[in-house]
Amino acid sequence: PLTYSFEEQLSVGHVVLAPLRAKKELAVIVEITTKPRFPTKQLYKLLVKEPLSTKSLQLMQWLQNYYPAPSGVIANQFLPTSLLLKSENTSNLIARPDRQEHNLPPLTMQQTEALSKMAKSPKKTVLLHGKTGSGKTRIYLEKTLQILKSGKSALILTPEIGLTSPLVSFMQQHVDSPLIVIHSGLTDKERREAWLQVHMAEKPVVVIGPRSALFAPFHRLGLIVVDEAHDNAYKQGQSPYYQAVRVASILSKIHNAQLILGTATPKVEDYYLASHSKNALILQMDQRAISGGNEAKIITVNTKDRTNFSKSPYLSDPLLNAITDSFAAGEQALVFLNRRGTARVVLCSDCGWQALCKNCDLPMTYHGDKHQMRCHTCGFKDRSPTACPDCGGLDIIYRSMGTKALADALQSIFPDAKI
């Protein structure tokens, strides 16, 4: 840390504007020390009257010790640059959104049982393994309402920004406390106001957002929910690199808050840790919360049994029959394949040579409409070979069908359909 001076008395956690060479940078006071022998630069000004809570500083220190990243990069997670905007009157920032109350259906037996076990258990971490449609969001709501009544705030994490809106709409119907959304899609002014709302809140609030919401300036946090906890989006892909579920676990310990990891498909490591931890509880919900919905009908076809492919080498008879039935009923059909192009593999049947990208050393994808091979990682393109460059053999094989080959196959079987 760098040492500065200031004409007024500051406290640990105060957010200030500091000179750093020719720039003006956001900074947070981490220690008060005696006057050094060397001359010090003066801080420009105090930006926020109230200092960050000691709990935010604890999390900041843990991140610096646990993950290899500079302290300034980590501090930037806690201090939005929008704090440099012109100061405004923040007394009216805390406001409950317009509430449109809707009656909730009664809790299911499994929801009631899950809430009862959470209430009776002293364990702070809950792995809520609930199938899609079992009502995990209702559990989040009930726990949030309980925490708000106790005078503490709640944090609900979603893996993507796009998932915050439906969750906010649902919570808004039933929660009286302020709902604050924090994510990178907000304008600078909106991010500044959201940060100040959390920092200056005198009453409990509910914060909803992706992984960046972990670093909001909470004072009294009683509940942390990580929805879709299996999602890889919770892993930060740039410096400072961190795993949001791990950070959420530490944040819950710092605040002595309950942590709920909700998912229909838990990660193996999360299940292992929860089953071997003395402070974790695993709850399962495998029944749909809403009756009368359309249950998915799933048919699995054995691709090794070639009697299932009498009409097409790629498309099974049950699949083609289902598409035919859909067309007869005047309905549409969606066929999903997670491979682009015409063929995913280009190789020589004589010597085993395979077309690989010269940059990435990854298999090239063949696109039959342009008779061209492409690398979908770096963009490298090359003409499809007519002979093997290693042995000169002419037997070039194209394997693993892509979406273009799939479209051609469907068009030949259903000539009148729009593919």
Side-chain angles (χ1 to χ4, degrees), residues 75-92:
N76 281 338
Q77 306 300 306
F78 294 81
L79 306 177
T81 56
S82 53
L83 287 177
L84 295 173
L85 294 176
K86 185 178 178 181
S87 180
E88 300 173 5
N89 179 19
T90 57
S91 60
N92 295 322

Side-chain angles (χ1 to χ4, degrees), residues 340 344 357-365 367 373-381:
R340 287 181 284 182
R344 186 69 180 86
C357 174
K358 67 176 185 179
N359 301 321
C360 309
D361 202 33
L362 295 173
M364 299 279 280
T365 300
H367 290 260
M373 298 186 300
R374 298 182 201 167
C375 173
H376 290 144
T377 300
C378 71
F380 174 71
K381 299 178 182 179

Side-chain angles (χ1 to χ4, degrees), residues 71 84 112-113 123 138 178 186 192 229 244 271 293 313 331 351 358 364 376:
S71 57
L84 295 173
T112 303
E113 184 180 353
K123 297 177 180 179
R138 179 66 182 276
L186 301 177
R192 178 182 183 277
Y271 226 106
E331 299 172 341
C351 69
K358 67 176 185 179
M364 299 279 280
H376 290 144

Side-chain angles (χ1 to χ4, degrees), residues 40-88:
T40 57
K41 291 183 178 181
Q42 280 271 339
L43 295 172
Y44 289 123
K45 63 179 179 179
L46 176 64
L47 289 175
V48 184
K49 185 177 180 180
E50 296 296 327
L52 290 178
S53 70
T54 55
K55 293 180 172 60
S56 289
L57 296 177
Q58 279 182 261
L59 183 63
M60 193 183 301
Q61 186 63 52
W62 177 84
L63 281 164
Q64 187 176 348
N65 294 335
Y66 192 82
Y67 293 105
S71 57
V73 175
I74 290 176
N76 281 338
Q77 306 300 306
F78 294 81
L79 306 177
T81 56
S82 53
L83 287 177
L84 295 173
L85 294 176
K86 185 178 178 181
S87 180
E88 300 173 5

